[in-house]
Amino acid sequence: MSNNSVIRIAIIDDNESFRNALKFFIGQIPDFAVMWEAANGEEFIKLIEEYPVDIALVDIKMPVLDGIQATYKVLEKHYPYVKIIAISLYNDFDSLKDMIKAGASGYIQK
């Protein structure tokens, strides 16, 4: 986590309306700040290199690069301290299992 008191969060989801809603709700929590958003795993990897965060809320199924592969790449090669929380509309056990294997710390169903 960051050294200051604000917990830095990124939202990675291909649904812009969902990202906006989640950003609004997180914005109501003291000491939490959404630092940036990404629409796919490739954008996630590019942005985290420039703007590190403490927590990433990552959709499992996205175009270009899905949440599972992005989680592997971010945690294993870039930023192992980032806590990744998987988010998904679907309650797909195999995908959830793959996200946990990739290093996700938890799961939230949309």
Side-chain angles (χ1 to χ4, degrees):
M1 296 263 183
S2 63
N3 292 334
N4 61 16
S5 63
V6 174
I7 297 172
R8 302 167 302 165
I9 299 174
I11 301 170
I12 301 86
D13 194 292
D14 57 323
N15 184 314
E16 184 177 5
S17 296
F18 179 75
R19 288 194 320 262
N20 289 336
L22 196 52
K23 184 167 67 172
F24 172 79
F25 287 113
I26 291 170
Q28 307 304 305
I29 303 169
D31 300 326
F32 279 56
V34 175
M35 304 308 290
W36 50 265
E37 304 167 38
N40 60 60
E42 190 174 279
E43 289 179 12
F44 174 30
I45 291 167
K46 287 179 186 174
L47 285 166
I48 200 163
E49 290 175 358
E50 237 180 295
Y51 309 103
V53 294
D54 303 304
I55 299 171
L57 303 172
V58 182
D59 189 13
I60 296 173
K61 296 183 189 282
M62 295 181 289
V64 184
L65 185 65
D66 68 25
I68 297 164
Q69 293 305 312
T71 296
Y72 271 119
K73 289 183 179 194
V74 166
L75 293 179
E76 290 183 354
K77 297 179 182 175
H78 298 288
Y79 301 94
Y81 65 85
V82 176
K83 300 299 180 203
I84 294 184
I85 306 298
I87 52 178
S88 183
L89 181 62
Y90 310 102
N91 199 3
D92 174 6
F93 180 73
D94 289 333
S95 294
L96 294 175
K97 186 172 69 175
D98 290 342
M99 275 297 278
I100 298 300
K101 278 186 190 176
S105 298
Y107 166 71
I108 300 170
Q109 187 169 6
K110 292 182 186 178

